[in-house]
Amino acid sequence: MKLTIGTTESGNAFTLPIEAVTQTFGILAKRGVGKTYTASVMAEEMLAAHQQIVAIDPTGAWWGLRSKYPVVVLGGEHADIPLEPSAGEVIAQAIVENRFPAVIDLSLFRKGEMIRFMVSFAETLYRLNREAVHLFVDEADAVAPQAKNYGGDENRMLGAMEDIVRRGRKRGIGCTLITQRPAVLNKNVLTQCEVLVALRMVHPKDIDAIKEWVNVHADPIKAKSMIDSLPSLPVGTAYFWAPGFGDIFERVNIRKRQTFDSSATPKPGETATAPKTWAEIDPAKLGEKIMATVEKQKADDPKELRRRITALETQLKAAAAKPEQPEAIRIEVPTPILKDSQISRLEKVAEKFLAVNGTAHAIGTEIANAIKAFTANPSSLVARPSIRPAIAPPRPATPRIPLRTPPTVNGSGEGEKMGKCERSILTALAQHGECEKERAAKLAGYAVGGGGFLNALGALRSAGYVDGDPLYITNAGMEALGKWTPLPTGRPLFDYWHAKLGRAEQEILRVLYEAAGKPMSKDAIAADTVSATGRPYEASGGGFLNAVGALRTLALIEGRGELRAADELFVK
């Protein structure tokens, strides 16, 4: 049985033998040229051959496989079964015992949660698995980083990935590592891959990582023509090189996907789509199996047993020590909102507003009408009765108040007559709901401290279109805005800001964006930048530090000791 990946330059079908399921691949490419797409085609072929695959997905790009194949999506926004950071061992055990294909979507996890999950998952998979399974690891530099001086769980995670790549085949585990930054993927892991899949790359450090692989596996002279052509390779074209696995060396045009392309980058103005059909699975049955595994693990865990015993003992002691409380007597105390003196002051304010034309006159009219309504029916402005127990029970924790969501009004008001900045601010609030001022400015495309933004915001507040801190759009604002087109988020938002920035800011933002939200030290960021002279910026240099300050002011980056790109740049 063969796995059909694409066509060669001569037009012949390019295939891999079924034994590729237990081989190790490294797919290396710059962003946006088809590395995840290529891996998904490989996964489709393995699934069509009834082979088990598991995809580790930190970006939420793999769920489209489910449009044709019975792949269980664990975690993420398209989950068949939710995923917890503590469930790594349980999930690995269930996959090994029940042999179902899976996409493990970690895109909703924080960095620490992802590491916690991956440590126990990778260690357990390597320890238990004995049948053929292929593990796809997207953004592999996040689970096998090159950075030095890491420790704790990160060190365990790297050790587990080294075991899978170096020795996993003896336990039936094949692996494909996928990364857009080979320079930051651990070299001990990368050089153990038996098959190199290289798409377009331009960064010298990333190309150097390919040279390291060649030095271990292949002929540097034969590699020269391939390496020289990497910066100009068309999107969707890849070199497959496997000196020790059939002596493969081919330039391949990757075939079209047969499943929904959930890894495609959204385009501005494009409506998000979803598959019309889904493959049949039984998530309830799989969920029961996974839950049964969880309960079995807890029942067999002495630590969990001791924890339960301790919790029960604590509850018994608290119940014994707690005196009986008499039943609370509830007393309703109505509280009027306005006093006579306050009404008198409001009447004077209303008179001043009524003496002025325009918006102020309208405000005065509203105040005067409100006063008339109150004096006609004072009970209309009495606060809800407060209920006071005679003997108060322990005060519960204050629940978190959810953010305001924008009103649903979508009128045909004065939006087209507004200035560009006012309309952009209103659109950002209509699209995203309640926002801090810095976030609203970033989404609208303006500097939060700039005169244009502050003047526009002041005008919107005066008109009653925006209120609050954080900011939110009012019903009047929605009516005035009328029909609106969503502002860019994710990659389009990155492209918008990147085009507006200076060279140093562009390079810093590019490096952090390509790190996919992973925090980086200033030294690591500077090392990956390219200045106008072709050399990296100095992390301690004024140009670099000023650029960091400017990006932080624009709310495009976050952090102090370590920096990361803002979340809005990754929204899909």
Side-chain angles (χ1 to χ4, degrees), residues 443-517:
L443 292 166
Y446 291 87
V448 68
F453 177 81
L454 294 176
N455 290 338
L457 181 59
L460 291 171
R461 282 190 183 276
S462 297
Y465 296 161
V466 167
D467 200 358
D469 185 16
L471 305 172
Y472 66 93
I473 187 170
T474 64
N475 277 311
M478 287 297 294
E479 187 67 32
L481 178 61
K483 295 181 180 180
W484 52 274
T485 302
L487 296 171
T489 55
R491 178 55 193 258
L493 182 62
F494 166 83
D495 290 339
Y496 171 85
W497 277 107
H498 192 264
K500 294 181 66 171
L501 300 171
R503 177 61 181 260
E505 289 90 345
Q506 284 183 334
E507 280 298 289
I508 294 168
L509 188 61
R510 174 189 64 79
V511 170
L512 290 172
Y513 182 78
E514 291 178 352

Side-chain angles (χ1 to χ4, degrees), residues 538-552:
E538 293 290 337
S540 58
F544 180 88
L545 294 176
N546 289 339
V548 168
L551 290 170
R552 190 181 281 121

Side-chain angles (χ1 to χ4, degrees), residues 216-243:
V216 174
H217 293 277
D219 179 6
I221 297 176
K222 189 176 181 180
K224 186 176 186 308
S225 62
M226 179 192 78
I227 291 174
D228 289 346
S229 69
L230 289 178
S232 59
L233 276 185
V235 173
T237 300
Y239 279 97
F240 277 72
W241 198 353

Side-chain angles (χ1 to χ4, degrees), residues 320-364:
K322 184 178 179 181
E324 289 189 6
Q325 297 285 346
E327 184 177 351
I329 302 172
R330 304 173 71 84
I331 306 172
E332 294 189 358
V333 184
T335 307
I337 289 179
L338 294 178
K339 298 178 181 178
D340 291 341
S341 59
Q342 292 173 321
I343 294 173
S344 177
R345 289 176 60 189
L346 282 173
E347 288 173 338
K348 292 178 181 178
V349 171
E351 290 173 1
K352 292 181 180 179
F353 275 114
L354 288 169
V356 183
N357 292 327
T359 303
H361 187 278
I363 294 173

